[in-house]
Amino acid sequence: VIILEIDPKGNAAAAFRRGDADICLYDKILAVNNRDVEFSTFENVMDQIITSEENDVSLTLGRAPDTITVRWPNGVGVAAKPGDHFCDLAGLAKCKIPYGCTNGGCGTCEQSIVTDKGDQRYVRPCVSRVPKGLKFIDVNP
C-alpha cells in the first residue's frame, strides 16, 4: 500500500510538524504494529489499523532509494527525486503557494528553504527543481 494522500489537518501531518513522525507521500506501508503487510491489500492494511487494540498504531514505512524529503509548512512531506519541480510537489502536498507569472520573473511564489546541510536560500517553485545530494528540504513561506 502506497501513501498517496496526507490530510494536512490530520494526525500524520501534526506528528510530522512536531517531528514525531517521518511520513511522506509515496512511502510504502511495510508493517502495522510489527505485522508484515508489504504485499497486503489496502483493505487488509486498513483493517489492521482500525482494529488495533493499541492506543497508538505503529507503521513501518519504506521509501524509494535516493529520495529527498520535502517538508511543507502544512505538515505534509513528499518523497521527491532530484529534478522534481517544487510547484508539482506543492500541489501534491496541497500546500497553497501564490503564483503570478509561472516563469520565475515576478517572485510572487518565492519560498525560503533550509536543507539538511543547514543551507538557507530562496527558490521560486514555479521554475525551481529539487537539487541532488540532500536528505531533506524544509520549505518555509
Side-chain angles (χ1 to χ4, degrees):
V1 173
I2 305 292
I3 297 171
L4 296 178
E5 186 173 349
I6 297 174
D7 179 359
K9 296 176 184 165
N11 291 335
F16 192 82
R17 281 190 296 274
R18 289 191 310 268
D20 295 341
D22 182 18
I23 185 169
C24 289
L25 294 175
Y26 305 118
D27 283 351
K28 184 174 186 177
I29 300 175
L30 303 175
V32 176
N33 293 334
N34 296 317
R35 282 183 240 140
D36 182 27
V37 295
E38 183 174 3
F39 301 105
S40 296
T41 65
F42 174 80
E43 290 78 13
N44 184 7
V45 172
M46 290 310 298
D47 284 347
Q48 289 199 37
I49 291 171
I50 292 168
T51 61
S52 174
E53 294 179 9
E54 300 176 30
N55 289 336
D56 292 325
V57 175
S58 171
L59 299 178
T60 303
L61 303 172
R63 193 167 293 155
D66 301 323
T67 57
I68 299 162
T69 301
V70 179
R71 302 187 292 206
W72 295 93
N74 65 355
V76 176
V78 180
K81 294 188 178 180
D84 285 349
H85 281 109
F86 278 101
C87 63
D88 294 339
L89 300 174
L92 291 170
K94 296 183 178 156
C95 186
K96 296 186 184 212
I97 294 176
Y99 292 100
C101 67
T102 67
N103 66 13
C106 73
T108 301
C109 66
E110 193 165 83
Q111 304 285 303
S112 167
I113 64 168
V114 178
T115 71
D116 59 76
K117 297 181 179 181
D119 301 330
Q120 180 175 0
R121 60 185 153 201
Y122 290 89
V123 298
R124 294 185 179 182
C126 66
V127 293
S128 296
R129 294 177 183 257
V130 174
K132 297 178 187 177
L134 299 173
K135 292 184 181 169
F136 71 82
I137 297 170
D138 287 328
V139 179
N140 305 300

